[in-house]
Amino acid sequence: MSVLKNLMSFVLFFILASSCKQNEGKQVPEIKLPRIAIAGLAIESSTFSPAQTHEEAFHARVAEDVFTFYPFLAEDSVNRKRAEWIPTLRAHALPGGIVTREAYESLVSKTLTMLKENGPYDGLFFDIHGAMSVVGLEDPEGDFILRVREVVGYETLISTSMDLHGNVSRRLAENSDLITCYRMAPHEDALESKKRAVDNLLSRLENGKGKPKYKAWIAVPILLPGEKTSTRIEPGKSLYAMLPDATKSKGVIDAAIWIGYAWADEARNHAVVMVTGDNEKEVGDAAEKLAQHFWQVRSEFEFVAPTATLLESLDMAIASKKKPFMISDMGDNPTAGGAGDVSWTLNEILKRKEFKSGQGPSLIYASIPGPELIEKAKELKVGDPLKASVGAMVDDRYAGPVELDGVIMAIEHGDKHAETEVVVRIGSVDVIVTKKRKPYHKEVDFTSLGLDPRNTDIVVVKIGYLVPELYDMRGDWIMALTPGGVDQDLERLGYKNIIRPMYPLDKDMEEPDLKAKFVPVSGRAQ
């Protein structure tokens, strides 16, 4: 056997040596990799919140740092080696209020400058959220991609990745070539979806097929909050489960359903179905099937968990023997676009007699911004008494600032979003106070402050549906219908600019036209 192996090795060596000799002095053709740029801005911003979002909130990354957003483009990854990548600027802000025009123009201008300096490009990965609102500007993502097109031209193949709570205007659909969005809420498939957008882009460049011949776009007149459209439960679960089957046809590249963003008042805010591919009939049929099913099950969407008033929620939590009993303070959810500093819920909690004594049910409140308290705490230490006001600096429509009079349990500096965090204990309540707003989604967010959420009776979090880590931790859970910039009672918001009729605001509306509208290939005369 060893003799045979030696003989095979000799033959292989001889073949390679002969090949090298034949090519000696000849120029071996070099494989030219496609040049692909990366750019994008992402935020979910409520126009019903008085808050505004400034440039520093986006934490922009540029050049090589952009790769840190994408593990599937790590230096040793397969996809990294399939192209020459030119990352420009990618920025992602926590959901919040409307973006200032100055912040938008600054970030877009920096992106365009970098694109101009490094072109031309075969492709561009356009990574956005889709629910950005900007002061004085209709359809920011549509404006952004149009300005990108003015720089990179229409020969460049653009693949757009989005959150399913984004909005797809006709302008965005027309100027994107490939487009997709997440298929799960909570968004456990975010990276998988972004990778799919990149895989589709690379495949179309490598196989030479380029832009899809057909893009079917259907506006579905439904506007629902994410807390009613989770893919954990029906009918969202089955609706989104239809997408993989829709892409099995040879003539279909990708299929996507956007729920849309409910807390902004713009004409583009509604659900959308889009399918891309090279076979007109298959693309159109797939889009219409998805849109019609979405419409048929519209009345079946319910909150992902039981809901109640805050009073009822606290009564249930206090009576429960399951811990932690999670309460979602939904109306001011900063991860949906709330200001994050509405003090109404905290004020109501501190009024309750059950929490006045240190022997009462333990409760963690996460969280409330309070710069005044933070500054005072910097001069103190753990165990010191502290008295200062928190909350209602941005959104004081429902309650004014709350005065906390308690004891410092923890002081931590250096958080990316909060900057400084202080835990103040009042009776049996631990209030997390931050310099800047921050969502509390992970167990380490609590344990890093010396808190033990698993063994706390009640945990109140400014959130809608629970993200996976909190969901797995819960003993029980209720979603409290509290006020704020992302109020779950959409009828109280007072829309003026969305296209009507719109379900569920107009429950008795006539059947809509759900025929596929074919969007022209980007750059083609309308």
Side-chain angles (χ1 to χ4, degrees):
M1 181 64 73
S2 61
V3 174
L4 181 59
K5 281 185 177 179
N6 289 336
L7 181 60
M8 290 175 65
S9 298
F10 176 78
V11 172
L12 180 61
F13 174 80
F14 179 79
I15 292 171
L16 290 171
S18 299
S19 176
C20 290
K21 190 170 183 180
Q22 289 172 11
N23 289 316
E24 192 175 345
K26 294 182 181 179
Q27 192 169 11
V28 179
E30 187 178 339
I31 298 173
K32 186 180 178 184
L33 296 175
R35 302 186 80 249
I36 302 177
I38 303 173
L41 300 177
I43 185 174
E44 202 173 57
S45 41
S46 169
T47 62
F48 296 106
S49 167
Q52 289 196 337
T53 301
H54 300 275
E55 183 172 357
E56 62 269 18
F58 280 87
H59 302 284
R61 300 180 197 177
V62 298
E64 293 295 308
D65 284 346
V66 170
F67 287 122
T68 60
F69 280 113
Y70 312 112
F72 56 84
L73 287 179
E75 197 165 355
D76 60 348
S77 65
V78 173
N79 277 356
R80 183 74 171 267
K81 297 171 184 175
R82 289 170 69 186
E84 179 186 349
W85 297 94
I86 304 94
T88 59
L89 182 148
R90 172 63 166 67
H92 193 138
L94 282 177
I98 192 167
V99 179
T100 67
R101 189 62 176 267
E102 293 76 16
Y104 174 77
E105 292 297 339
S106 175
L107 290 165
V108 169
S109 295
K110 289 174 183 175
T111 303
L112 298 179
T113 296
M114 295 182 76
L115 285 171
K116 288 175 185 175
E117 290 172 349
N118 296 288
Y121 310 99
D122 299 296
L124 187 146
F125 173 38
F126 193 57
D127 189 11
I128 60 176
H129 180 288
M132 174 166 53
S133 294
V134 174
V135 175
L137 183 64
E138 182 78 13
D139 185 19
E141 283 87 356
D143 173 80
F144 187 18
I145 197 170
L146 196 59
R147 289 165 73 175
V148 166
R149 279 293 188 194
E150 289 170 357
V151 172
V152 305
Y154 283 93
E155 293 301 313
T156 300
L157 190 66
I158 294 182
S159 183
T160 301
S161 169
M162 297 176 66
D163 189 302
L164 63 85
H165 296 126
N167 309 296
V168 187
S169 66
R170 282 279 301 203
R171 182 162 56 172
L172 180 59
E174 287 168 3
N175 285 281
S176 296
D177 298 307
L178 301 159
I179 189 166
T180 192
C181 70
Y182 308 161
R183 295 174 179 176
M184 295 178 72
H187 308 317
E188 297 169 71
D189 69 330
L191 283 174
E192 178 187 332
S193 298
K194 293 175 192 292
K195 184 178 183 298
R196 184 171 64 251
V198 167
D199 288 342
N200 288 342
L201 176 59
L202 286 165
S203 295
R204 297 297 288 194
L205 290 172
E206 289 170 348
N207 63 25
K209 292 183 178 180
K211 301 183 180 188
K213 294 178 182 177
Y214 301 100
K215 295 184 291 185
W217 179 89
I218 303 177
V220 185
I222 296 174
L223 191 58
L224 292 167
E227 284 67 27
K228 283 190 173 182
T229 52
S230 172
T231 59
R232 283 177 177 154
I233 61 171
E234 298 296 351
K237 186 176 182 178
S238 294
L239 175 63
Y240 275 84
M242 295 172 69
L243 293 173
D245 285 340
T247 61
K248 287 179 181 176
S249 300
K250 287 185 178 180
V252 172
I253 299 168
D254 199 272
I257 301 168
W258 285 262
I259 297 297
Y261 181 64
W263 295 293
D265 189 13
E266 299 170 355
R268 65 182 183 145
N269 289 82
H270 52 74
V272 163
V273 169
M274 270 197 79
V275 179
T276 55
D278 297 320
N279 183 294
E280 183 177 9
K281 185 177 188 310
E282 289 179 2
V283 167
D285 287 351
E288 289 177 6
K289 182 178 179 180
L290 292 169
Q292 286 161 4
H293 183 74
F294 194 174
W295 181 253
Q296 287 165 6
V297 299
R298 66 191 182 283
S299 62
E300 298 175 26
F301 287 96
E302 300 289 348
F303 282 112
V304 68
T307 60
T309 66
L310 180 64
L311 173 63
E312 293 166 338
S313 299
L314 289 170
D315 286 344
M316 283 186 274
I318 291 167
S320 176
K321 296 191 182 304
K322 297 178 180 178
K323 67 167 71 171
F325 193 107
M326 295 271 186
I327 298 177
S328 292
D329 181 3
M330 294 200 293
D332 192 37
N333 174 12
T335 57
D341 83 332
V342 173
S343 59
W344 184 84
T345 297
L346 177 59
N347 189 51
E348 295 301 309
I349 289 170
L350 294 177
K351 286 179 184 177
R352 298 280 300 229
K353 66 180 188 302
E354 293 93 340
F355 304 117
K356 297 289 185 182
S357 162
Q359 306 308 309
S362 57
L363 184 148
I364 297 173
Y365 185 79
S367 62
I368 189 99
E372 176 194 330
L373 184 145
I374 295 294
E375 288 306 308
K376 286 187 177 183
K378 287 179 180 178
E379 306 300 321
L380 302 170
K381 63 183 184 302
V382 172
D384 286 347
L386 176 60
K387 187 176 183 179
S389 294
V390 299
M393 295 170 300
V394 176
D395 195 344
D396 62 356
R397 294 174 294 175
Y398 313 100
V402 175
E403 186 173 71
L404 300 185
D405 187 356
V407 177
I408 298 175
M409 304 305 293
I411 304 174
E412 292 292 332
H413 303 285
D415 184 83
K416 175 182 176 181
H417 298 294
E419 293 188 6
T420 298
E421 302 163 282
V422 175
V423 178
V424 181
R425 180 167 293 171
I426 307 101
S428 62
V429 177
D430 284 324
V431 181
I432 302 176
V433 183
T434 59
K435 182 178 178 181
K436 295 182 178 179
R437 67 196 183 99
K438 174 192 172 177
Y440 285 74
H441 287 175
K442 299 181 181 297
E443 188 168 2
V444 70
D445 292 335
F446 299 91
T447 57
S448 64
L449 297 171
L451 299 170
D452 183 5
R454 289 184 183 272
N455 291 303
T456 299
D457 295 317
I458 306 166
V459 177
V460 182
V461 187
K462 290 196 174 195
I463 200 169
Y465 54 66
L466 295 180
V467 293
E469 224 172 291
L470 297 182
Y471 184 79
D472 292 340
M473 187 194 303
R474 81 201 187 288
D476 206 342
W477 174 33
I478 193 78
M479 298 201 299
L481 296 166
T482 55
V486 287
D487 194 327
Q488 295 287 333
D489 185 348
L490 302 187
E491 294 186 11
R492 293 194 301 206
L493 292 175
Y495 294 101
K496 295 177 182 176
N497 301 309
I498 62 170
I499 298 171
R500 305 293 287 266
M502 182 74 67
Y503 183 87
L505 301 175
D506 305 295
K507 292 183 175 61
D508 298 324
M509 61 183 288
E510 294 180 1
E511 292 287 313
D513 176 11
L514 297 177
K515 294 288 185 184
K517 282 75 176 174
F518 285 94
V519 177
V521 173
S522 64
R524 187 172 293 175
Q526 305 300 301

